Amino acid sequence: RRRTGGSSSDPLRNFTVTKQDVSLHNGTIYSLSYNNHFTQFVSTGEDKRTVLYDVAKKKVLWSDTGSNAVSSSSYSPVRDHFLVGDRGGVIRLFDATKDVTKITKISTFKVKVPGAKICHTEYFPCGGLFVTSGTAKGTNVFDIVTRKIVA
C-alpha cells in the first residue's frame, strides 16, 4: 500500500510496503495502529502475533505471540503504550519505550463477560480510558489505571 500527500516531513508521505519488504504475519492482518509520530505501528493478526514495526527502517522491531488470534490494537494518544485485544477476550497492555529491546507487558486481563471476543479496542483522546467492543454485551469502557469497567 502507498500513502501520498501530507507535509514533506510526514514519514508516511511516500511510504510503500511490498510483500518483499516485510512479512508481518502469516495469514490475515486484523489491525494496524500508528504511534503519535507515525514512526512505528503495531499490527495484529490471526496468527496470534502482535508486531511492532519501524516505518523508516521497514523493519520489525519486536513481536509477541498470544494464545488466541489478536484482533485489535490501539496506541495511546499520550503515552508510549499500546494495547491489544484477542478473540479469547484477553486485553494486553504494553509499554513501548524508546528502547524497543525493553518493551514490557504492563498488564494482562480478561474481559469478564462470558464468551467475550474482542473485536476492537480504542483509546479515548485523554489516554486515561479505552473502549472495547466485541461479541458479548457490546461495548465496555475501561479505566487504564484500574483496568476496571467504568461504563
Side-chain angles (χ1 to χ4, degrees), residues 86-100:
D86 73 26
R87 297 289 170 96
V90 175
I91 299 167
R92 292 179 288 149
L93 178 64
F94 294 92
D95 182 359
T97 58
K98 301 291 180 205
D99 182 354
V100 295

Side-chain angles (χ1 to χ4, degrees), residues 96-110:
T97 58
K98 301 291 180 205
D99 182 354
V100 295
T101 62
K102 296 181 180 174
I103 290 180
T104 56
K105 194 181 309 179
I106 297 170
S107 117
T108 299
F109 54 103
K110 188 165 177 87

